[in-house]
Amino acid sequence: MQRRYLSLAAVGLAATMTLTLTGCGSGSGGNDVTLKLIAADYGDSKANSSQHYWDDLVRAFEEQNPGIKVDVSVYSWTDVDKKVEDLVDAGKAPDMAQIGAYADYAAHGKLYTADDLLSIPVQADFTPSLAEPGEYQRLQYGMPFGASTRRLFYNKKLFAQAGITNPPQNWDDIVSDAQALKAHGVKIPFALPLGPEETQAETLEWMLAGGGGYTDNIGKYTINSKENVKTFEWLQKELVGKGLTGADPAKLNRGDAFAGFADGDVGMLNGHPTLMKQAEAKGIDYGTVELPGANGKAKATMGVTDWMMAFKQNGHRAQIGKFLDFVYSEKNVLKFSADYNLLPVTTSASQAMLADDRFSKLHGFLNQLPTAQFYPANKTSWPLVSKTVKSRMGATVGPQGNPSAVLTDIQNTADTADNATE
């Protein structure tokens, strides 16, 4: 989730995993191979770092494959994409990376396809709505790893104190509920994190709620569509302009908004599954509903997935494939999802989660996954567009903001970048 559940997930840390794969033959030593894997850490502390998940998984893999060893090391989300980029630029690409974007590496011919690596049953098990964004020029290079969708979280205690009996179903409800919360002294009636941490996510959530999005159904950027302009004009006038966001959205980061909700200072916000654990740890009684839209439920929710990819530079295709088949087994996908409050990326693990009452609070998020809409991660222009959104969108909803002009500027940037890569 950058998505980051921006993510994506918890507080946005990252793990670099170094994989030492030692040939998949008899283990005689002559075919020993060392593979490097750099990947993201989804924990929010050393105690629940993804390091523990991978150490356990590697231990089980090595027991079944005595000729293969895996050595894991961990980096933060802040550094992980840059770490991979630096290694690739230095001619020292890792064999595998589990990070936020894959398309640029695919475009430069540096990656194996999923067809090259995975057994047919494993590849076919990916949830279709997650596998498709992993395709570049109709070939799958990005293998989904960890997913989330978005729902609106609300504080039940604060709602009750303000006399609100039902969660919001549309934008008018959001405004009236936020006004009631403000009247009862709630510090931040509706948290709108458009600060630099994960602006691209909050932006897409609101675009979808307003009937728009970053792209149309054939992948063309539609950033300055009339739907998107109308959405941000509404935010500027109805939420920010009426003092219902409590703080300057341009200065509010996602992590701070989540922390505020967990502290009981936020009445409502858009959130992903990892917020549940954060809120529960502070004793917050919360509810979730599908994202409200302009005239009812949003047409779709935002989905986020991170990507596993494999570089061709060092070879080792067979060994990488054997390990990834193990990584994507139902048992391991379900355990990772359970450990970090994320959604499974395979059909088999999703069905197992839906059938298990232990995960009932995730079921609402999971049921939205097949129709969720994702970042255009298969476009090599997306990293630049995402960076531009992060730097520009926060001020758009402020008193001096001009949504139409800003969205058109970003559209022009996107079109220029898109044309340059064609």
Side-chain angles (χ1 to χ4, degrees):
M1 35 231 39
Q2 166 0 210
R3 100 170 24 282
R4 221 86 34 247
Y5 144 163
L6 321 86
S7 203
L8 219 216
V11 269
L13 303 175
T16 295
M17 299 176 304
T18 305
L19 254 154
T20 309
L21 225 81
T22 321
C24 45
S26 63
S28 60
N31 296 321
D32 286 0
V33 176
T34 299
L35 298 180
K36 306 288 185 181
L37 169 61
I38 297 181
D41 181 5
Y42 294 81
D44 57 10
S45 68
K46 186 175 181 180
N48 73 342
S49 166
S50 301
Q51 180 81 55
H52 303 299
Y53 169 80
W54 287 103
D55 285 351
D56 290 344
L57 183 145
V58 165
R59 192 175 301 112
F61 178 75
E62 290 177 352
E63 287 177 358
Q64 296 181 25
N65 299 272
I68 300 173
K69 292 187 177 181
V70 182
D71 183 22
V72 178
S73 56
V74 175
Y75 289 77
S76 75
W77 260 120
T78 306
D79 302 324
V80 67
D81 289 291
K82 186 65 164 58
K83 177 71 175 178
V84 174
E85 180 184 350
D86 289 346
L87 287 171
V88 172
D89 288 347
K92 299 178 181 179
D95 295 277
M96 289 175 280
Q98 187 268 298
I99 51 177
Y102 71 89
D104 193 53
Y105 299 122
H108 286 87
K110 296 182 181 297
L111 301 180
Y112 287 116
T113 67
D115 290 344
D116 293 330
L117 300 167
L118 302 176
S119 64
I120 292 174
V122 169
Q123 188 176 0
D125 198 26
F126 286 130
T127 301
S129 64
L130 299 178
E132 185 177 350
E135 295 180 1
Y136 177 76
Q137 296 185 344
R138 299 187 179 183
L139 292 174
Q140 185 180 2
Y141 294 92
M143 292 160 276
F145 191 91
S148 68
T149 59
R150 301 298 193 265
R151 290 170 71 84
L152 183 138
F153 282 69
Y154 63 98
N155 184 310
K156 290 184 176 180
K157 180 180 178 180
L158 296 180
F159 266 51
Q161 290 173 346
I164 306 169
T165 56
N166 295 300
Q169 301 297 312
N170 56 48
W171 286 358
D172 287 343
D173 291 345
I174 286 178
V175 172
S176 60
D177 291 349
Q179 288 173 326
L181 291 165
K182 182 179 180 181
H184 280 74
V186 175
K187 185 176 179 181
I188 303 177
F190 196 106
L192 185 64
L194 290 173
E197 180 185 355
E198 205 181 41
T199 321
Q200 80 285 1
E202 190 75 13
T203 296
L204 180 54
E205 290 162 28
W206 284 101
M207 284 178 169
L208 293 172
Y214 282 126
T215 60
D216 60 19
N217 56 11
I218 60 171
K220 184 180 184 301
Y221 282 114
T222 55
I223 293 167
N224 67 337
S225 68
K226 65 179 188 295
E227 293 85 1
N228 291 341
V229 171
K230 187 175 179 180
T231 292
F232 282 88
E233 288 177 343
W234 181 88
L235 286 170
Q236 182 185 40
K237 178 182 176 182
E238 300 295 331
L239 279 188
V240 182
K242 292 180 178 178
L244 301 177
T245 58
D248 180 358
K251 297 179 180 178
L252 181 64
N253 280 325
R254 194 275 317 272
D256 295 328
F258 278 21
F261 187 80
D263 289 337
D265 294 330
V266 174
M268 295 176 279
L269 79 169
N270 298 330
H272 53 64
T274 56
L275 179 55
M276 297 190 300
K277 183 176 180 180
Q278 197 171 347
E280 289 164 2
K282 293 289 190 75
I284 298 297
D285 185 14
Y286 65 89
T288 73
V289 293
E290 293 181 43
L291 298 185
N295 300 304
K297 294 177 181 177
K299 70 170 187 177
T301 186
M302 184 184 80
V304 172
T305 185
D306 300 313
W307 302 104
M308 178 75 77
M309 64 207 71
F311 289 86
K312 291 196 261 184
Q313 179 175 319
N314 302 316
H316 311 151
R317 178 178 65 84
Q319 295 91 337
I320 294 170
K322 190 166 191 175
F323 180 72
L324 291 179
D325 271 359
F326 188 79
V327 167
Y328 284 107
S329 67
E330 177 185 324
K331 175 183 176 182
N332 288 326
V333 171
L334 186 61
K335 184 178 188 306
F336 176 80
S337 302
D339 285 354
Y340 298 103
N341 264 358
L342 291 170
L343 305 180
V345 297
T346 62
T347 300
S348 60
S350 295
Q351 291 172 342
M353 178 174 279
L354 286 172
D356 193 331
D357 288 341
R358 291 180 302 160
F359 305 115
S360 59
K361 290 184 177 180
L362 284 169
H363 289 173
F365 293 92
L366 186 53
N367 284 328
Q368 298 178 152
L369 194 56
T371 57
Q373 295 193 19
F374 296 81
Y375 300 134
N378 57 351
K379 297 171 77 69
T380 57
S381 55
W382 171 242
L384 174 61
V385 174
S386 176
K387 181 180 179 180
T388 306
V389 169
K390 286 182 178 183
S391 67
R392 298 291 305 277
M393 287 308 297
T396 303
V397 297
Q400 308 303 317
N402 186 330
S404 179
V406 172
L407 288 170
T408 297
D409 284 348
I410 299 174
Q411 175 76 36
N412 292 336
T413 297
D415 287 342
T416 299
D418 227 15
N419 292 335
T421 59
E422 289 181 356

